[in-house]
Amino acid sequence: MSDSYTSSEASHRALRAIQQELERHPTVVAVQGFPDGYFTELRAELAVDRWGIDRENATITVRWFAGATPDARPEFEFHYSDEETDFGWHHHEQEHVDGWGNFQERTNDGGYTYEPYTFHAQNPAQLSWEIMSSLSSGLNSE
Amino acid sequence: MTDQKPGVEAWKEHTTAFDRVQSVATTVSKPRPVSYIADEAHVAENTARGHLERLVNLNVLLKTKRDDGALYSPDPLHTRMQTLRDLLEAHDRDGLIDLKIKLQSKIEAWKADYSVDSPGELRTRAAKTDTASQTRNLKKTASDWELARYRLSVLEDAIESYATYTKDFRASA
């Protein structure tokens, strides 16, 4: 397969797997490829009241790029937003913290704060559950 | 014993071992042995082996035999057929053509905006930018472009063989 590797197909497979895992999560109401036709990202509608949190329009947006070669690190982001805030876990080049993994959160002045973040999971499926677990902890500690 | 990694217990609670093996095996970027997939899917190696063989028989995975054991990887044809089926379920022929126009227009717009002909050229340019945020934006667009091109190729296949696929699709429904 390495000889026939294409990053677009690998990215597409990862996005499909993430969609399937998010659909299995009890807090997720629906997941759709977005924009319609391109399917370059996923948008999941969340019922965070199931975690005892009172927020409207809770969604998580997922982007994934598998990397130009089979050994390249994937670039991805899982970004949460609701009526009050937005924050997310990202893995890509950036200038704010050392390394690729970072947690970023919107501040009151419209900017973002950044912290280094180390992802435990290595595959897109498990990563989806890791992020949902971190999201639940993050919202409950606010 | 519980797994301390965040989310793993919930993943195991809401999925079967087969689900997890399938999810992991269909997203590996290069052929992997049973031990790797079992570890990532949090299942015993023997369990993983059985599920992997079933997925090979279902044409979901490819199996490469080696002296030191088999390697498993996703079958690109299966991925393509899944996408094709999703498109045919969601759109009629006119809808597919509308989507094709939308995707082609987007790709044309990227070509005009960046004066390049391919996402590869855009990535080359991303390596020469002055700031990390410019690099990030160009790489993001290049990724979107690659995904759109993949989607467009499946879409063209769906339109070209629409009558055949929908006949088969209705027969199998």
Side-chain angles (χ1 to χ4, degrees):
Chain A
M1 185 182 101
S2 298
D3 292 342
S4 60
Y5 176 84
T6 56
S7 53
S8 54
E9 195 237 322
S11 305
H12 185 75
R13 278 192 275 114
L15 283 168
R16 282 192 75 99
I18 293 166
Q19 176 170 10
Q20 195 167 37
E21 294 301 332
L22 289 176
E23 282 169 348
R24 288 171 173 150
H25 196 284
T27 309
V28 175
V29 179
V31 191
Q32 285 188 315
F34 190 85
D36 182 31
Y38 312 168
F39 209 134
T40 53
E41 60 187 46
L42 295 172
R43 286 199 185 165
E45 186 188 330
L46 310 180
V48 291
D49 56 317
R50 293 173 193 168
W51 287 331
I53 292 155
D54 184 20
R55 295 278 176 87
E56 295 291 324
N57 304 323
T59 59
I60 192 157
T61 303
V62 184
R63 295 179 56 87
W64 191 282
F65 179 66
T69 66
D71 291 315
R73 286 181 289 179
E75 296 172 25
F76 57 83
E77 56 189 66
F78 289 75
H79 205 94
Y80 170 82
S81 67
D82 63 30
E83 59 187 339
E84 290 180 25
T85 187
D86 75 84
F87 54 82
W89 295 262
H90 294 221
H91 185 258
H92 51 71
E93 277 177 311
Q94 41 74 40
E95 69 273 40
H96 306 286
V97 295
D98 287 340
W100 277 28
N102 69 93
F103 173 76
Q104 50 185 261
E105 183 164 23
R106 186 159 56 88
T107 56
N108 290 334
D109 63 4
Y112 283 86
T113 58
Y114 298 84
E115 291 168 29
Y117 182 83
T118 302
F119 293 92
H120 298 271
Q122 303 291 320
N123 64 76
Q126 185 183 326
L127 198 55
S128 308
W129 291 83
E130 175 180 333
I131 297 299
M132 291 304 287
S133 169
S134 300
L135 177 60
S136 163
S137 307
L139 287 172
N140 276 303
S141 67
E142 277 188 351
Chain B
M1 199 177 93
T2 57
D3 200 312
Q4 295 304 309
K5 287 183 181 172
V8 171
E9 285 309 312
W11 190 27
K12 287 161 78 171
E13 187 188 338
H14 293 283
T15 55
T16 64
F18 182 81
D19 294 335
R20 296 194 300 283
V21 167
Q22 180 169 15
S23 289
V24 170
T26 53
T27 54
V28 294
S29 56
K30 56 186 179 185
R32 295 287 192 177
V34 176
S35 56
Y36 175 90
I37 293 164
D39 196 38
E40 288 289 304
H42 301 271
V43 302
E45 242 180 83
N46 276 342
T47 307
R49 186 174 290 107
H51 293 327
L52 288 167
E53 286 302 315
R54 195 172 150 209
L55 289 163
V56 170
N57 290 333
L58 291 168
N59 297 317
V60 174
L61 299 179
L62 298 174
K63 180 180 180 180
T64 313
K65 287 180 184 162
R66 292 196 322 184
D67 289 345
D68 57 349
L71 298 178
Y72 298 87
S73 58
D75 185 339
L77 188 58
H78 177 77
T79 310
R80 198 173 175 84
M81 291 310 288
Q82 268 187 319
T83 308
L84 199 55
R85 181 171 279 265
D86 289 349
L87 286 167
L88 291 168
E89 278 178 352
H91 306 280
D92 61 14
R93 194 165 191 279
D94 288 344
L96 292 171
I97 291 169
D98 287 345
L99 268 184
K100 183 185 170 184
I101 293 167
K102 223 163 143 183
L103 274 178
Q104 284 174 322
S105 304
K106 190 65 191 171
I107 289 171
E108 291 303 322
W110 282 323
K111 283 182 181 175
D113 288 350
Y114 297 102
S115 302
V116 292
D117 285 328
S118 70
E121 281 182 43
L122 196 56
R123 283 189 185 280
T124 305
R125 182 177 298 176
K128 297 171 187 164
T129 53
D130 295 328
T131 66
S133 90
Q134 285 174 331
T135 307
R136 172 78 192 130
N137 285 336
L138 291 186
K139 285 178 82 174
K140 224 171 170 177
T141 304
S143 304
D144 287 354
W145 192 338
E146 286 188 16
L147 276 165
R149 275 210 311 200
Y150 175 77
R151 192 90 174 155
L152 182 59
S153 74
V154 182
L155 203 44
E156 284 170 340
D157 192 1
I159 294 166
E160 201 175 315
S161 306
Y162 184 79
T164 309
Y165 286 141
T166 48
K167 189 174 141 226
D168 292 347
F169 187 52
R170 280 193 297 268
S172 67

